Amino acid sequence: MSTNYQDFETEGRRLVILRILARRNQFTANEYSLGDELKGAYAHHVSRDRLHGDLAWLEEQGLVITQQPRAGWVITLTARGADVAEGNAQVPGVARPRPGIA
């Protein structure tokens, strides 16, 4: 199966989102702190629109729950999302974690 670079980048970014949420208290983050961590710690510089697109896609797959109050999105990891983040389940469109990388 051939994957182009954009797909590779998107799949990796989605995994990173799940892994960030897996480390958070109550498995929840707002879109601003999530975007900051994607940029700062993982060098994923994405627009708010692209982040919203990834989050909507992850929600469609049952990996996160999004709430959209006026102040910005709040994202919560689901049990299925935690399984994918840990490598215990696989979803096409999300990269698999490499062994030994936390």
Side-chain angles (χ1 to χ4, degrees):
M1 183 174 201
S2 176
T3 302
N4 66 35
Y5 182 75
Q6 185 175 5
D7 290 343
F8 175 79
E9 187 177 70
T10 298
E11 291 172 2
R13 187 175 57 249
R14 290 172 178 165
L15 175 62
V16 168
I17 290 168
L18 297 176
R19 296 186 91 180
I20 289 169
L21 292 169
R23 291 193 318 266
R24 294 287 177 97
N25 289 337
Q26 301 180 0
F27 308 104
T28 299
N30 65 50
E31 69 177 289
Y32 305 108
S33 65
L34 189 58
D36 288 347
E37 191 164 348
L38 277 169
K39 185 192 312 184
Y42 295 96
H44 284 281
H45 299 272
V46 296
S47 68
R48 185 116 16 255
D49 284 343
R50 179 162 288 170
L51 178 58
H52 286 175
D54 283 339
L55 295 173
W57 187 90
L58 289 167
E59 185 169 43
E60 287 175 4
Q61 307 310 308
L63 305 177
V64 302
I65 297 167
T66 62
Q67 298 171 315
Q68 301 170 21
R70 290 184 193 191
W73 291 25
V74 177
I75 306 94
T76 304
L77 187 67
T78 65
R80 183 169 186 237
D83 284 343
V84 173
E86 294 171 5
N88 297 325
Q90 186 175 5
V91 172
V94 179
R96 292 200 62 171
R98 293 186 302 170
I101 297 179

